[in-house]
Amino acid sequence: MSKKITPEATSRRNFLKKFGISVGGATAVSGLGLLSSCVSDDEEKVPMLTTDGKVINGDKSKLKLNLNEMQIRSREGLSGKKFVMVIDLAKCKNARKCMSACQGAHHLKPEQHHINVLQTENAEGTGFYYQPKPCMHCDNPPCTKVCPVDATFKRKDGIVLIDNERCIGCRFCIAACPYSARVFNWSEPKYYEGDANAVYDMELNVPQKKGTVSKCLFSADRLRIGKLPYCVSACPNGTYWFGDANEDAVTNGTSKETVRLSSLLSDNGAYTLLPELGTKPSVYYLPPKDRMFEYKEGELNYLGEEEPKGHHS
Amino acid sequence: MSENKKQSDEAIMLKIREDLLTPMTKFPLSYKIWIGSLLTIIAVAIWGYTIQLQNGLGETGMRDYVSWGVYIASFVFFVATALVGMLISAVVGLVGQKWITPISRIAEMIALAFAMVAGIAIVADMGRPDRILNLLFHGRFQSPIIWDVTVVNLYIFISILLLFLPLLPDLGIIRNHMKKDLPKWQWNMYNILSLGWVGTPGQYKILHSTLRVLLILIVPVAMALHTVTSWLSALTLRAGWDSTIFGPYYVTGAFVAGAGAVLVAMYFIRKAYRLEDYITDFHFDKMGKLMVLVGLVYLYFNINEFLVPGYKMKAADADHIFTLFSLNGEYGVMFWLTQTFGLLLPITLGLFKPFRKPFPMMLIGLAIVIGAWFKRVIIIVPTMIHAYLPIQNVPESFHHYTPTGLEITVTLGIVAMAVLIISILVKLFPVISLWEIAEEKGVDIHKDL
Amino acid sequence: MNKLSKILSFVSISLLILTNVQAQDWNITAEQKDMKLGVAYTEDIQDAGNTIFKKSCKMCHGDVNIATTNDRELPLAPNLGATDWQGANTDGEIFTKISNGKGGMPPFSGSLSDDDRWKIVAFIRSSYSDYTPPVTDATADTKPKTPKFEGEIKDIEATYDDELNSFIVRIIAVDADGHPAKAQGIKLDFFVKRYFGDMALFEGERSNEDGEVIIEAGKLKADKDGNISIIARTSDKAITSEKTITIGYAKVWDNPILGRNIWGTSGRTPLWMLISYLVFTFGTLLVLGWAAFQLLRIHNLRER
């Protein structure tokens, strides 16, 4: 309605961003002559971004190969990494920059939350606080257990991804997740017209697809290029730490300070959410002690349209 | 063999053929209206489904928290009802209960019809039905859905065989006696399907031994079918589903639902085909007793399922129990109505002989079937309303679940499809096994009847 | 109508946030403004202030970089090294601002003691060359404990000592006469390179009389070849040394994804599960096939 981001611009940007990285590989394959015969018909040129940041005109047909290549790469994950997030509840003031950055990056509707800032309290009378809740990227994930088609799976770097090119929309994973971390595209997703020609990036889960599940991806596309997730870098309050458990280091999204994960966790008495369920989350919480900000009742809540109705208005 | 005996056999067979085969050749107006209205419902449902296909599952009342609704509940209900084939044919039949003979084919037909539409309910619930073949190409052996899909198909195959095998002698009879009463194509069909049945002792021997193997095989497959269906819920961590007795809870519940469905079908088929001589008050009485028996077993599992968490009141379980048990809870009224009319009253009334007459039994059966459907809704939906973490920052509609008109239409369409399949089966094939009835009446069946 | 009300509520809430951040005033009294620095202005105190700053302030204000004016925008908090800001605020004002907070900045009077807050002021002031500390009795201590190194720093060398499980960062320097010398009292930083940023093992640590800083590695994690990349530098960033040091043994990370798990992909189904599934499915199919074969046998018996 009022502030619709031009889909063209968005999709073009994503398209360049995503495809650029793997142009090199595609060229190498066609260089081997494997495809030179079959791509000749489709001479349409489209702009692509090379690894060193130059825009070139490439064969559109090569992009189709890239989808397959990217699917393989995305299922593989980053070697030797084990990504973890630490959320310092004392720092969260419900600014919701994480939520908007996330929804923007993943083309989500206002009611679709890959990360959701909850207002919660541990037991009655113990005081409310703000609790950002992404996907826990469990090491014993109940969601990937039940998927009938390997559409959701855990990568070797610990990230639980969803392949919306394969998802059949049975929503068993939504039923299985105790953290309510998964969302479904009940109708045509946001920007579906603008995203129509974009090639699917599993690590960004864009374009979103009607009838498939979507979830927090730890911004796997950003991690691949050594950047912090969208939510982590958007936070103005230093709430998020993100890093690699194998390096025993996490970096603060706001101050960019890097500290030892083990010390951060043990010094603050960190905990995980619903540990009794045995899901072994990769997301840790630091207790909301000495909160930096007061809890205000009835603050910002859902501002989206009342119903995710109407496929396109 | 004496000439006397032969003549009396002929007379008995003539009456049996007259009683059981004549309805197959008649298409009264009521039957046509019945089929017509079923087809209309199905057509409307297909229209509704195309809208859902076009616009997505947002056309239903399901949202991110309650992400399974009446489709899945109906699926569970269909699978439950389909289990009656195993209850009647195998469990009761194998232990040597002879009274089951005139009912077993009806039960098999119900089982086959409901098992077939169960798959349709699942497809209706899928966000991407166009990708259904992914189940084949990318099937994941750890997923209960794959087990369920496998075992539903196995069950359908067994049900077809269990329906078809005892039909062979009957098809032979039809082939021998009905050539002039039937359209040519139909007679040809029976001719082919009868596989050249002539009733030699050798053929009977094979028939009996194969049937026996299949009746044994259907027990584990049917148990697996409904246990796996229960695991769709029980293998998750959610309060209300996270239960170790879900398998037997579902299986016994299925027996109740199936018994109800058979009671209803018995009543209407008997009435429509004037089979009072074959399906007698005695059979309703027996079925009533069977219903009470399985009902009591199901009640026992109900008590376990609700009392145990209700005693401990773990946080999430307590929420669930409150929703169901308190009349102020979101599903309190539905829960108590369902439990009363779908289980408690049928058991209580079934204890008294006057209620085990055909008409009251039909009403009770109807209450059981409707109750069984609502019970599945109660099993599936309220659990999903209670997430472990607070439900926030989403529209009001995400907090509750109300099925939309479209969703109900599609569901009714699937039910209509099951009823349609049964209606067609009972018209195409004799609803009661002729040769088994003949055998009971002492006719020598080891010959071409 | 409904949409309009939503837009209105959105605008009003946005305004609310903005006003919260900006329009509110610091409300500092003249009395507070005149307060004098409550701690001695010594390097030790400044260092202590730096430690507190890193914990409580840095995640919003970032590093204190000397600049003429604030170079950061919301949501980042201002750079406290801006000289115009330093000049415009008295010690008392800075102290009061830390104590009471404003809008997005929380009050620290509860979580930090008076002394700690003054130490932060002292640290902030250390980046302001025009600052004149108040004259107190403790002025005598303001002189650094160690005499300022007069020679020239040539390089920094970092090594790892296996026995001590420590890194030794050594300054290579020459004295005024050009002879090798031990540079004492030089502030050094030492980082370990990590995927998303450099992790400080120490920052602003002064070299000892041997011109070294020794820091225990603790259970520092190396990569799978046993190497880590480090950065050693002087705190004024004049000299930086980057290198890769072997500190451990190559180890294979035990990745659970490689095992057979129920949560794993279909290729990694636990064997017992796969076998159970196959035995059940194909066992049933076998019986069904047998039954179908029996139908054939019945068919074959049609002629007598």
Side-chain angles (χ1 to χ4, degrees), chain A residues 21-43:
Chain A
I21 297 157
S22 46
V23 167
T27 324
V29 175
S30 64
L32 288 172
L34 285 172
L35 280 168
S36 48
S37 55
C38 31
V39 296
S40 53
D41 284 348
D42 198 347
E43 282 296 289

Side-chain angles (χ1 to χ4, degrees), chain A residues 113 116 119 146 175 210 307, chain B residues 54 125 143 238 392-393 397:
Chain A
H113 304 295
N116 196 357
Q119 304 173 23
V146 298
K210 182 182 80 178
E307 262 288 282
Chain B
Q54 214 151 42
D125 186 69
S143 172
R238 287 177 182 260
Q392 290 172 0
N393 310 319
S397 62

Side-chain angles (χ1 to χ4, degrees), chain A residues 96 99 111 113 116-120 133 142 144-150 164-172 174-180 183-184 186-187 209-212 273-274 277 279 301-302 305-308 311, chain B residues 52-60 62-68 125-129 131-132 134-135 138-140 142-146 231-233 235-238 241 384 387-390 392-398:
Chain A
R96 305 208 164 187
M99 287 167 72
E111 70 276 5
H113 304 295
N116 196 357
V117 180
L118 304 176
Q119 304 173 23
T120 184
K133 185 217 64 187
T144 73
K145 278 183 184 177
V146 298
C147 179
V149 292
D150 262 341
N164 80 19
E165 287 286 322
R166 187 181 286 184
C167 175
I168 60 169
C170 69
R171 310 190 294 298
F172 202 173
I174 296 183
C177 176
Y179 302 100
S180 311
V183 298
F184 190 69
W186 296 99
S187 49
K209 289 225 168 62
K210 182 182 80 178
T212 64
L273 220 47
L274 304 174
L277 300 180
T279 51
N301 208 298
Y302 176 71
E305 286 182 72
E306 189 52 34
E307 262 288 282
H311 19 133
Chain B
Q52 182 191 307
L53 262 188
Q54 214 151 42
N55 298 351
L57 283 169
E59 293 290 338
T60 70
M62 296 183 278
R63 290 296 179 264
D64 284 348
Y65 289 87
V66 184
S67 59
W68 280 349
D125 186 69
M126 281 171 67
R128 301 294 304 223
R131 294 181 182 169
I132 192 159
N134 278 6
L135 289 171
H138 303 290
R140 199 171 154 275
Q142 297 101 312
S143 172
I145 287 188
I146 292 294
W231 286 351
L232 293 184
S233 302
L235 290 183
T236 68
L237 298 161
R238 287 177 182 260
W241 288 353
M384 304 198 84
Y388 277 105
L389 303 174
Q392 290 172 0
N393 310 319
V394 288
E396 181 57 26
S397 62
F398 280 47

Side-chain angles (χ1 to χ4, degrees), chain C residues 7 11 21 23 64 82 93 99 102 112 184 189 197 225 231 237 257-258 260-261 268-269 284 286-287 294:
Chain C
I7 295 168
V11 169
V21 175
V64 179
E93 272 179 296
S99 306
K102 182 193 88 167
L112 296 175
Q184 192 185 358
D189 301 339
D225 297 324
I231 301 168
K237 295 171 192 166
I257 202 86
L258 298 174
R260 288 187 175 274
N261 287 300
R268 300 198 175 275
T269 312
T284 309
L286 213 66
V287 178
Q294 299 309 307

Side-chain angles (χ1 to χ4, degrees), chain C residues 86-100:
Chain C
Q86 291 255 16
N89 283 277
T90 67
D91 291 346
E93 272 179 296
I94 300 177
F95 178 79
T96 312
K97 287 176 178 180
I98 298 172
S99 306
N100 298 342

